[in-house]
């Protein structure tokens, strides 16, 4: 059985493997710690590089509690689950890597709880997803609630619905999550993020928006382009992994 803990009334499942400096991994919307981090070998690669790897299933996802009110899924609330997990494991500070929605949570932590972050790695999130609101919207929520994939005509909605079906997710909880995580960051807020940041986005990612435009806003950031990868396929890419390991090694 995967370990879990409670943040208030909400049960959160997580993994905690390896030894060394801790890194916390925060997966994207409709994914899970296994789909985002275990199966693409992130956990094993980071462990091989001497890291203690912690990854959670965000509320509404994976083996964590399923909630059905959008208000239970605000970005600050979900980022609070990450902090609560770090507190549960007595980890005062860690590198944190989030992908897509997890990147938005990580950026929020970088802005509001910088003392808890050694560095922030924002995967699959550029200026569009973080600031302009170009990420999945109501079209995807409606696709998740449709009777079947055959009933979905919107192309982005079909992509996320097929992914949710493939991962056997609770689609009603995911629709609530999507409607609850609409809060964006302003350019002024992004400019106040004062931790070392790596922004890693696939060059064919039409969900995240521009990584370089976001990098231009965040003072202590660097940008990693993941060649020829879209939003779904960038996650396990070798360029992404190599770039992250290099970034972490330069953090000391």
């Amino acid at each position: 059985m995967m370990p879990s803990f409670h943040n208030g009334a909400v049960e959160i499942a997580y993994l905690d493997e390896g030894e060394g400096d801790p890194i916390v991994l925060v997966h994207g919307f409709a994914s899970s710690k296994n789909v985002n981090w275990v199966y693409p070998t992130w956990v094993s690669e980071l462990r091989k590089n001497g890291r203690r790897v912690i990854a959670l299933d965000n509320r509404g996802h994976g083996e964590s509690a399923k909630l059905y009110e959008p208000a239970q899924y605000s970005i600050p609330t979900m980022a609070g689950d990450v902090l609560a997990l770090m507190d549960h494991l007595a980890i005062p500070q860690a590198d944190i890597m989030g992908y897509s929605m997890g990147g938005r949570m990580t950026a929020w932590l970088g802005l509001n709880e910088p003392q808890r972050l050694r560095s922030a790695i924002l995967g699959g999130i550029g200026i569009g997803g973080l600031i302009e609101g170009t990420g999945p919207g109501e079209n995807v929520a409606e696709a998740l609630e449709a009777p079947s994939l055959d009933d979905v005509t919107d192309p982005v909605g079909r992509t996320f619905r097929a992914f949710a079906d493939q991962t056997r997710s609770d689609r009603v909880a995911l629709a609530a999550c999507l409607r609850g995580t609409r809060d964006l960051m302003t350019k002024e807020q992004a400019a106040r993020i004062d931790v070392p940041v790596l922004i890693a986005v696939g060059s064919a990612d039409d969900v995240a928006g521009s990584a370089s435009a976001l990098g231009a806003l965040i003072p202590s950031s660097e940008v990693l382009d993941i060649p020829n990868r879209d939003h779904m396929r960038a996650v396990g890419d070798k360029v992404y992994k190599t770039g992250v390991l290099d970034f972490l090694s330069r953090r000391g």
Side-chain angles (χ1 to χ4, degrees), residues 80-157:
D81 291 335
V82 178
L83 294 177
L85 174 56
M86 290 173 66
D87 291 343
H88 174 70
L89 297 174
I91 296 172
Q93 189 181 55
D95 297 292
I96 301 182
M97 175 162 64
Y99 195 84
S100 195
M101 179 184 74
R104 292 170 62 205
M105 294 161 62
T106 303
W108 188 93
L109 290 167
L111 175 64
N112 294 283
E113 300 285 345
Q115 72 283 1
R116 304 301 300 269
L117 279 75
R118 193 163 165 267
S119 71
I121 300 164
L122 310 181
I125 191 82
I127 197 166
L130 188 64
I131 291 168
E132 297 172 348
T134 59
E138 184 62 23
N139 54 329
V140 174
E142 291 174 358
L144 290 165
E145 293 172 331
S148 74
L149 180 61
D150 292 337
D151 296 290
V152 182
T153 55
D154 177 82
V156 178

Side-chain angles (χ1 to χ4, degrees), residues 7 16 56 73 79-80 82 104 125 132 150 189 195 216 237 242:
N7 184 19
D16 179 6
L56 74 161
Y73 289 102
V82 178
R104 292 170 62 205
I125 191 82
E132 297 172 348
D150 292 337
Q189 287 173 320
V195 298
D237 189 86
T242 302

Side-chain angles (χ1 to χ4, degrees), residues 2 12 22 29 68 90 98 109 124 136 140 182-183 200 230 234 248:
M2 197 62 67
I12 302 292
F29 174 73
Y68 301 101
L109 290 167
V140 174
R182 294 251 168 98
D183 16 4
D230 63 18
L248 292 172

Side-chain angles (χ1 to χ4, degrees), residues 1 20-21 42 74-75 78 103 108 143 149 206 212 217 227 232 245:
M1 286 292 291
D21 289 335
W42 271 106
S74 73
I75 291 293
M78 295 182 73
W108 188 93
L149 180 61
D206 55 4
S212 58
L217 291 175
M232 298 296 185
L245 290 170

